[in-house]
Amino acid sequence: MTVDTTILHDPLFWLLGIPAVVLLGLGKGGFIGFSTLAMPLVAMAVPPVQAAAILLPLMIAQDAVGVWAFRRSWDRHVMVVMLPGAVLGILLGYVFAASLPEAWILLALGLISILFGGQRLWVERGGTPAPARVLPDSVGFLCATASGLTSQIAHAGAPPYQLWVFPQKLPRDVLVGTTAIFFALMNWIKVPAYVALGQFTPVNLLASAALLPIATLATFAGVRLVRRIDPERFYVMVYGLTMLVGVKLSWDAVSRLAG
């Protein structure tokens, strides 16, 4: 794919890129779900593969802020179960990058997110307590594999991860910290694949560098804001965001299939 070298002078890229990295920063700072909205925004201005390459260095920098802020709050069991699956998923995404039906994958993710978020909101409204570790570890491994695969393809690894982790109702800070560490490690694992695909071009890296200050400030803002939210309201908000992400992913998938 030919890299569009005009993006640094394209007002549309900045018009969409700036709010995208703000959402990305808020998501990395603890508002889980916001991050997935960033990729579709940037992909409206540049090709999806290029958008992913521009966002990856920003995500790595933002991960450092989130990991540092919540470094003492994370769940070891989640990491042990999910990290091997994530590595497998990233490898599959790299090996089969040219043949995987991206639109259908995004559509499946979108529908799962809508159904999952809606079901969890129904549980919360009904006052039914969610039992810890509803699904076995083997399902967690499969969810992690799906997360790594979709993260490698479109930085959309959150829905499969949430499917297994959220029903465990981890304490707010533990959930945020575990999520930050998991995706930080996963993003570093993705770097060799993007290097091999030749996506870290000078133009893409310059675009990342220009957006970095905004991305970093947004992450610090997310860390400060999330700690002021009541834990119960936090989960309700996150489930609502999960449904919103699902709608966006489904819309993007249908648009690609129709095009």
Side-chain angles (χ1 to χ4, degrees):
M1 179 182 294
T2 302
V3 176
D4 183 2
T5 58
T6 67
I7 62 168
L8 298 178
H9 308 287
D10 183 2
L12 179 62
F13 171 75
W14 301 108
L15 183 65
L16 296 173
I18 290 174
V21 297
V22 170
L23 290 171
L24 195 63
L26 292 173
K28 294 294 183 181
F31 288 92
I32 302 166
F34 275 14
S35 299
T36 310
L37 299 172
M39 174 69 179
L41 276 177
V42 180
M44 292 171 64
V46 298
V49 174
Q50 187 178 8
I54 291 171
L55 288 178
L56 184 56
L58 297 173
M59 293 166 67
I60 289 173
Q62 291 171 320
D63 286 333
V65 176
V67 169
W68 176 258
F70 294 95
R71 64 191 182 280
R72 295 186 178 90
S73 305
W74 57 283
D75 188 282
R76 182 178 180 276
H77 181 77
V78 170
M79 298 297 296
V80 169
V81 171
M82 300 201 80
L83 195 57
V87 174
L88 175 60
I90 291 169
L91 179 62
L92 292 174
Y94 170 67
V95 171
F96 299 105
S99 58
L100 287 171
E102 182 176 338
W104 286 107
I105 290 174
L106 292 180
L107 180 59
L109 280 176
L111 294 176
I112 289 171
S113 298
I114 293 170
L115 293 173
F116 171 70
Q119 187 269 340
R120 298 310 304 175
L121 281 176
W122 180 81
V123 168
E124 295 291 333
R125 287 176 59 87
T128 304
R133 308 202 191 283
V134 174
L135 299 174
D137 290 354
S138 58
V139 176
F141 178 86
L142 293 175
C143 287
T145 303
S147 180
L149 175 65
T150 53
S151 183
Q152 173 66 27
I153 293 173
H155 294 327
Y161 168 86
Q162 294 167 351
L163 187 65
W164 188 69
V165 175
F166 277 17
Q168 300 178 29
K169 294 302 293 284
L170 300 173
R172 180 197 60 199
D173 287 2
V174 173
L175 173 65
V176 174
T178 303
T179 303
I181 294 172
F182 176 77
F183 283 99
L185 292 172
M186 195 156 64
N187 285 332
W188 273 109
I189 295 169
K190 291 189 296 189
V191 169
Y194 277 82
V195 172
L197 292 171
Q199 287 302 315
F200 289 138
T201 64
V203 171
N204 289 347
L205 291 175
L206 280 173
S208 300
L211 291 168
L212 181 59
I214 299 172
T216 304
L217 289 174
T219 308
F220 278 111
V223 170
R224 290 182 62 88
L225 290 172
V226 78
R227 284 176 166 163
R228 299 183 179 183
I229 297 178
D230 177 76
E232 291 300 321
R233 291 184 179 180
F234 173 76
Y235 264 98
V236 171
M237 181 194 68
V238 167
Y239 294 140
L241 287 173
T242 300
M243 294 185 68
L244 178 62
V245 168
V247 171
K248 178 59 179 172
L249 290 174
S250 300
W251 176 264
D252 290 342
V254 171
S255 298
R256 294 185 190 188
L257 291 171

mmCIF file of all heavy atoms in Angstrom, residues 13-37:
data_model
loop_
_atom_site.group_PDB
_atom_site.id
_atom_site.type_symbol
_atom_site.label_atom_id
_atom_site.label_comp_id
_atom_site.label_asym_id
_atom_site.label_seq_id
_atom_site.Cartn_x
_atom_site.Cartn_y
_atom_site.Cartn_z
ATOM 1 N N PHE A 13 -6.866 15.212 8.629
ATOM 2 C CA PHE A 13 -6.127 14.307 9.514
ATOM 3 C C PHE A 13 -6.033 14.879 10.920
ATOM 4 O O PHE A 13 -6.246 14.181 11.911
ATOM 5 C CB PHE A 13 -4.725 14.059 8.957
ATOM 6 C CG PHE A 13 -3.840 13.308 9.918
ATOM 7 C CD1 PHE A 13 -4.016 11.943 10.118
ATOM 8 C CD2 PHE A 13 -2.846 13.967 10.631
ATOM 9 C CE1 PHE A 13 -3.213 11.253 11.019
ATOM 10 C CE2 PHE A 13 -2.032 13.280 11.522
ATOM 11 C CZ PHE A 13 -2.213 11.921 11.720
ATOM 12 N N TRP A 14 -5.729 16.155 11.032
ATOM 13 C CA TRP A 14 -5.604 16.774 12.355
ATOM 14 C C TRP A 14 -6.961 16.955 13.009
ATOM 15 O O TRP A 14 -7.099 16.824 14.230
ATOM 16 C CB TRP A 14 -4.879 18.112 12.241
ATOM 17 C CG TRP A 14 -3.517 17.959 11.653
ATOM 18 C CD1 TRP A 14 -3.107 18.333 10.409
ATOM 19 C CD2 TRP A 14 -2.381 17.317 12.263
ATOM 20 N NE1 TRP A 14 -1.795 17.985 10.202
ATOM 21 C CE2 TRP A 14 -1.327 17.370 11.329
ATOM 22 C CE3 TRP A 14 -2.159 16.722 13.497
ATOM 23 C CZ2 TRP A 14 -0.073 16.842 11.595
ATOM 24 C CZ3 TRP A 14 -0.908 16.206 13.767
ATOM 25 C CH2 TRP A 14 0.117 16.258 12.832
ATOM 26 N N LEU A 15 -7.975 17.255 12.194
ATOM 27 C CA LEU A 15 -9.325 17.424 12.732
ATOM 28 C C LEU A 15 -9.830 16.141 13.370
ATOM 29 O O LEU A 15 -10.525 16.171 14.404
ATOM 30 C CB LEU A 15 -10.269 17.863 11.604
ATOM 31 C CG LEU A 15 -11.721 18.163 11.988
ATOM 32 C CD1 LEU A 15 -11.789 19.365 12.927
ATOM 33 C CD2 LEU A 15 -12.564 18.405 10.752
ATOM 34 N N LEU A 16 -9.480 15.001 12.790
ATOM 35 C CA LEU A 16 -9.898 13.709 13.332
ATOM 36 C C LEU A 16 -8.849 13.120 14.279
ATOM 37 O O LEU A 16 -9.197 12.447 15.250
ATOM 38 C CB LEU A 16 -10.161 12.727 12.193
ATOM 39 C CG LEU A 16 -11.310 13.087 11.253
ATOM 40 C CD1 LEU A 16 -11.349 12.128 10.063
ATOM 41 C CD2 LEU A 16 -12.636 13.062 11.984
ATOM 42 N N GLY A 17 -7.581 13.384 13.997
ATOM 43 C CA GLY A 17 -6.507 12.790 14.793
ATOM 44 C C GLY A 17 -6.449 13.324 16.213
ATOM 45 O O GLY A 17 -6.203 12.559 17.160
ATOM 46 N N ILE A 18 -6.680 14.624 16.390
ATOM 47 C CA ILE A 18 -6.583 15.208 17.730
ATOM 48 C C ILE A 18 -7.651 14.647 18.676
ATOM 49 O O ILE A 18 -7.331 14.167 19.766
ATOM 50 C CB ILE A 18 -6.634 16.746 17.651
ATOM 51 C CG1 ILE A 18 -5.330 17.261 17.024
ATOM 52 C CG2 ILE A 18 -6.841 17.366 19.035
ATOM 53 C CD1 ILE A 18 -5.313 18.751 16.760
ATOM 54 N N PRO A 19 -8.947 14.669 18.302
ATOM 55 C CA PRO A 19 -9.930 14.043 19.207
ATOM 56 C C PRO A 19 -9.708 12.550 19.376
ATOM 57 O O PRO A 19 -10.000 11.983 20.429
ATOM 58 C CB PRO A 19 -11.283 14.333 18.534
ATOM 59 C CG PRO A 19 -10.973 14.700 17.137
ATOM 60 C CD PRO A 19 -9.614 15.316 17.155
ATOM 61 N N ALA A 20 -9.152 11.899 18.352
ATOM 62 C CA ALA A 20 -8.886 10.458 18.454
ATOM 63 C C ALA A 20 -7.864 10.168 19.548
ATOM 64 O O ALA A 20 -8.056 9.264 20.367
ATOM 65 C CB ALA A 20 -8.397 9.909 17.118
ATOM 66 N N VAL A 21 -6.784 10.952 19.593
ATOM 67 C CA VAL A 21 -5.760 10.681 20.610
ATOM 68 C C VAL A 21 -6.224 11.129 21.994
ATOM 69 O O VAL A 21 -5.752 10.600 23.007
ATOM 70 C CB VAL A 21 -4.406 11.329 20.251
ATOM 71 C CG1 VAL A 21 -3.860 10.737 18.964
ATOM 72 C CG2 VAL A 21 -4.498 12.826 20.173
ATOM 73 N N VAL A 22 -7.146 12.095 22.040
ATOM 74 C CA VAL A 22 -7.738 12.456 23.339
ATOM 75 C C VAL A 22 -8.547 11.277 23.869
ATOM 76 O O VAL A 22 -8.429 10.895 25.049
ATOM 77 C CB VAL A 22 -8.615 13.715 23.210
ATOM 78 C CG1 VAL A 22 -9.426 13.938 24.485
ATOM 79 C CG2 VAL A 22 -7.755 14.935 22.919
ATOM 80 N N LEU A 23 -9.371 10.683 23.022
ATOM 81 C CA LEU A 23 -10.124 9.491 23.421
ATOM 82 C C LEU A 23 -9.184 8.351 23.796
ATOM 83 O O LEU A 23 -9.413 7.635 24.773
ATOM 84 C CB LEU A 23 -11.044 9.047 22.281
ATOM 85 C CG LEU A 23 -12.239 9.949 21.968
ATOM 86 C CD1 LEU A 23 -12.918 9.496 20.683
ATOM 87 C CD2 LEU A 23 -13.235 9.953 23.121
ATOM 88 N N LEU A 24 -8.118 8.201 23.018
ATOM 89 C CA LEU A 24 -7.138 7.162 23.305
ATOM 90 C C LEU A 24 -6.506 7.381 24.676
ATOM 91 O O LEU A 24 -6.344 6.443 25.468
ATOM 92 C CB LEU A 24 -6.063 7.173 22.221
ATOM 93 C CG LEU A 24 -5.131 5.968 22.106
ATOM 94 C CD1 LEU A 24 -5.912 4.721 21.746
ATOM 95 C CD2 LEU A 24 -4.059 6.246 21.058
ATOM 96 N N GLY A 25 -6.174 8.644 24.974
ATOM 97 C CA GLY A 25 -5.557 8.952 26.265
ATOM 98 C C GLY A 25 -6.493 8.726 27.429
ATOM 99 O O GLY A 25 -6.095 8.184 28.461
ATOM 100 N N LEU A 26 -7.747 9.113 27.273
ATOM 101 C CA LEU A 26 -8.722 8.875 28.336
ATOM 102 C C LEU A 26 -8.908 7.381 28.570
ATOM 103 O O LEU A 26 -9.037 6.927 29.716
ATOM 104 C CB LEU A 26 -10.056 9.526 27.976
ATOM 105 C CG LEU A 26 -10.078 11.061 27.964
ATOM 106 C CD1 LEU A 26 -11.417 11.563 27.429
ATOM 107 C CD2 LEU A 26 -9.812 11.627 29.356
ATOM 108 N N GLY A 27 -8.913 6.610 27.480
ATOM 109 C CA GLY A 27 -9.044 5.163 27.616
ATOM 110 C C GLY A 27 -7.853 4.553 28.327
ATOM 111 O O GLY A 27 -8.009 3.703 29.201
ATOM 112 N N LYS A 28 -6.653 4.989 27.962
ATOM 113 C CA LYS A 28 -5.453 4.467 28.610
ATOM 114 C C LYS A 28 -5.361 4.928 30.064
ATOM 115 O O LYS A 28 -4.728 4.266 30.890
ATOM 116 C CB LYS A 28 -4.202 4.925 27.841
ATOM 117 C CG LYS A 28 -4.085 4.344 26.452
ATOM 118 C CD LYS A 28 -3.886 2.846 26.489
ATOM 119 C CE LYS A 28 -3.703 2.269 25.101
ATOM 120 N NZ LYS A 28 -3.531 0.800 25.130
ATOM 121 N N GLY A 29 -5.992 6.057 30.353
ATOM 122 C CA GLY A 29 -5.979 6.563 31.719
ATOM 123 C C GLY A 29 -6.987 5.894 32.630
ATOM 124 O O GLY A 29 -6.993 6.148 33.836
ATOM 125 N N GLY A 30 -7.847 5.048 32.065
ATOM 126 C CA GLY A 30 -8.779 4.308 32.911
ATOM 127 C C GLY A 30 -10.197 4.214 32.392
ATOM 128 O O GLY A 30 -10.966 3.373 32.849
ATOM 129 N N PHE A 31 -10.575 5.058 31.430
ATOM 130 C CA PHE A 31 -11.935 4.998 30.890
ATOM 131 C C PHE A 31 -11.975 3.945 29.781
ATOM 132 O O PHE A 31 -11.967 4.258 28.586
ATOM 133 C CB PHE A 31 -12.363 6.371 30.374
ATOM 134 C CG PHE A 31 -12.625 7.362 31.462
ATOM 135 C CD1 PHE A 31 -11.616 8.199 31.908
ATOM 136 C CD2 PHE A 31 -13.869 7.438 32.074
ATOM 137 C CE1 PHE A 31 -11.846 9.111 32.918
ATOM 138 C CE2 PHE A 31 -14.109 8.351 33.085
ATOM 139 C CZ PHE A 31 -13.096 9.195 33.522
ATOM 140 N N ILE A 32 -12.015 2.693 30.221
ATOM 141 C CA ILE A 32 -11.910 1.551 29.313
ATOM 142 C C ILE A 32 -13.053 1.590 28.290
ATOM 143 O O ILE A 32 -14.215 1.673 28.641
ATOM 144 C CB ILE A 32 -11.953 0.241 30.114
ATOM 145 C CG1 ILE A 32 -10.826 0.233 31.143
ATOM 146 C CG2 ILE A 32 -11.863 -0.970 29.196
ATOM 147 C CD1 ILE A 32 -10.977 -0.849 32.188
ATOM 148 N N GLY A 33 -12.697 1.524 27.023
ATOM 149 C CA GLY A 33 -13.685 1.589 25.959
ATOM 150 C C GLY A 33 -13.447 2.765 25.038
ATOM 151 O O GLY A 33 -13.678 2.682 23.832
ATOM 152 N N PHE A 34 -12.964 3.875 25.597
ATOM 153 C CA PHE A 34 -12.690 5.049 24.774
ATOM 154 C C PHE A 34 -11.628 4.744 23.718
ATOM 155 O O PHE A 34 -11.702 5.228 22.589
ATOM 156 C CB PHE A 34 -12.210 6.211 25.654
ATOM 157 C CG PHE A 34 -13.323 7.026 26.255
ATOM 158 C CD1 PHE A 34 -14.626 6.578 26.257
ATOM 159 C CD2 PHE A 34 -13.054 8.255 26.836
ATOM 160 C CE1 PHE A 34 -15.640 7.313 26.817
ATOM 161 C CE2 PHE A 34 -14.064 9.017 27.405
ATOM 162 C CZ PHE A 34 -15.367 8.546 27.390
ATOM 163 N N SER A 35 -10.612 3.947 24.095
ATOM 164 C CA SER A 35 -9.472 3.726 23.198
ATOM 165 C C SER A 35 -9.889 3.125 21.866
ATOM 166 O O SER A 35 -9.333 3.463 20.819
ATOM 167 C CB SER A 35 -8.453 2.802 23.885
ATOM 168 O OG SER A 35 -7.963 3.378 25.065
ATOM 169 N N THR A 36 -10.876 2.236 21.890
ATOM 170 C CA THR A 36 -11.286 1.552 20.665
ATOM 171 C C THR A 36 -11.909 2.503 19.660
ATOM 172 O O THR A 36 -11.939 2.223 18.455
ATOM 173 C CB THR A 36 -12.272 0.416 21.008
ATOM 174 O OG1 THR A 36 -11.710 -0.382 22.046
ATOM 175 C CG2 THR A 36 -12.546 -0.466 19.812
ATOM 176 N N LEU A 37 -12.387 3.651 20.128
ATOM 177 C CA LEU A 37 -13.001 4.615 19.223
ATOM 178 C C LEU A 37 -11.974 5.411 18.433
ATOM 179 O O LEU A 37 -12.316 6.046 17.433
ATOM 180 C CB LEU A 37 -13.881 5.583 20.026
ATOM 181 C CG LEU A 37 -15.046 4.955 20.804
ATOM 182 C CD1 LEU A 37 -15.704 6.004 21.691
ATOM 183 C CD2 LEU A 37 -16.059 4.357 19.853
#
